[in-house]
Amino acid sequence: MKRISILGCGWLGFPLAGQLLAKGFEVKGSVTSRSKLKTLKAAGIKPYRLVLDVDKVQLKDQSFFDTDLVIVAIPPKRDTYIETIFPEQIKQLVKLLEKFQVPRVLFISSTSVYNELDGVVREDDVLLPEKSSGKALVLAEYLLTSNSHFKTTVLRFGGLIGADRNPARFLSRKTTAISGSKPVNLIHLEDCLQIIQRIIDKQLWGETLNACCPAHPSRQEFYEKAAAVSGVPAPAFHDEPEPYKLVDSSKLMHLLDYQFIYPSPID
């Protein structure tokens, strides 16, 4: 495998492209904004403007799909109708994946596909998400994994931290107290990049994997520490319990023989 196309060169996709270039891959990257095309080109990424609509794909140069692997790194946007819109966008993508006989897909999903049922969640659990974004991702996962024309691996990331995403600022603007006992499910950008690289190196296709720090400190423990380190006010906490989930990443650690760079988000 020599050619990789990254659909969505944003917070995750852009540094991923740089890492893959350093490994010797030919990398094609897509953005929706024309102004970002020069940034991709300057970084050595072959740039494409690709916009997924519900009824078509805006893409002038379809050589983006002349590739050995498409990495789909576009989260559902915050939209009232995203539960309908995002799966329709993925349907348009699937048409092109089939047309150009793309052999492999890596779909970046989220642990928002799991409901908070006060326990551990694993890849083979029944998915009953409450949020519209989670419902949209469940449908998108199915559209890709059920298609026999290509092999899809689904990677469900926890909350993303690192780079310019300072966790101390997630809750610092909260004006009301939040549950302090609720555990967090987070993962650092560096682990995200290394896990994707390991999937490619091991050619692990046709799997669904949770990717989240193995340790799950409480919200209060984590955000008070993050606030202290960053010099910002910590949010107020209350002691009343709330529904929670603990994302189990042991399958990923076993199949990829992977040890997290940051086993705990407090690290």
Side-chain angles (χ1 to χ4, degrees):
M1 187 166 62
K2 298 179 180 178
R3 303 164 300 167
I4 296 177
S5 296
I6 302 176
L7 178 54
C9 276
W11 185 84
L12 172 66
F14 185 74
L16 174 62
Q19 174 176 284
L20 293 171
L21 283 170
K23 293 284 186 178
F25 291 96
E26 175 190 337
V27 181
K28 304 174 184 181
S30 82
V31 289
T32 57
S33 172
R34 290 184 177 88
S35 63
K36 295 179 180 178
L37 293 172
K38 290 183 179 179
T39 303
L40 298 191
K41 188 174 182 180
I45 306 162
K46 189 171 183 182
Y48 294 79
R49 181 176 180 268
L50 192 160
V51 180
L52 291 177
D53 295 321
V54 296
D55 56 351
K56 66 181 184 299
V57 177
Q58 298 180 45
L59 177 66
K60 287 185 177 180
D61 185 353
Q62 295 189 333
S63 66
F64 178 83
F65 290 98
D66 182 17
T67 187
D68 301 310
L69 167 66
V70 170
I71 299 175
V72 184
I74 48 168
K77 293 182 179 179
R78 294 182 179 180
D79 189 287
T80 305
Y81 304 102
I82 195 59
E83 189 178 337
T84 302
I85 293 172
F86 191 66
E88 290 299 322
Q89 292 174 309
I90 297 300
K91 285 180 182 178
Q92 296 303 319
L93 171 63
V94 166
K95 290 178 184 178
L96 289 171
L97 294 172
E98 291 181 356
K99 178 181 177 180
F100 290 96
Q101 299 180 341
V102 175
R104 306 169 193 88
V105 175
L106 176 57
F107 181 64
I108 305 302
S109 188
S110 164
T111 55
S112 65
V113 299
Y114 300 112
N115 200 351
E116 298 191 338
L117 298 174
D118 296 342
V120 176
V121 292
R122 299 182 177 89
E123 291 85 352
D124 56 356
D125 287 353
V126 175
L127 302 178
L128 298 169
E130 295 178 338
K131 295 182 179 178
S132 295
S133 59
K135 294 176 181 178
L137 285 168
V138 169
L139 292 171
E141 286 186 9
Y142 176 76
L143 289 168
L144 293 166
T145 58
S146 64
N147 194 299
S148 61
H149 291 85
F150 45 82
K151 290 184 178 180
T152 300
T153 283
V154 172
L155 190 53
R156 294 172 178 162
F157 282 134
L160 302 172
I161 59 174
D164 60 347
R165 292 194 178 183
N166 184 343
R169 303 189 186 279
F170 288 178
L171 300 178
S172 63
R173 296 177 183 176
K174 286 280 187 179
T175 57
T176 58
I178 60 174
S179 174
S181 61
K182 191 171 182 175
V184 297
N185 296 285
L186 301 172
I187 184 169
H188 195 279
L189 175 61
E190 290 183 34
D191 276 306
C192 296
L193 299 177
Q194 292 306 312
I195 287 167
I196 292 172
Q197 187 68 57
R198 190 69 64 91
I199 289 171
I200 294 169
D201 291 345
K202 287 186 171 289
Q203 294 289 287
L204 188 66
W205 310 115
E207 294 286 352
T208 297
L209 304 169
N210 289 339
C212 186
C213 292
H216 304 272
S218 70
R219 268 182 170 181
Q220 184 165 356
E221 182 184 5
F222 176 73
Y223 286 107
E224 285 185 344
K225 176 69 173 178
V229 169
S230 301
V232 299
F237 297 96
H238 62 70
D239 296 328
E240 296 178 15
E242 288 184 358
Y244 70 91
K245 62 190 174 194
L246 287 174
V247 178
D248 181 358
S249 299
S250 56
K251 178 182 177 183
L252 175 146
M253 296 172 70
H254 172 69
L255 291 181
L256 295 178
D257 189 24
Y258 186 75
Q259 298 297 319
F260 277 76
I261 300 169
Y262 300 105
S264 169
I266 289 180
D267 295 335

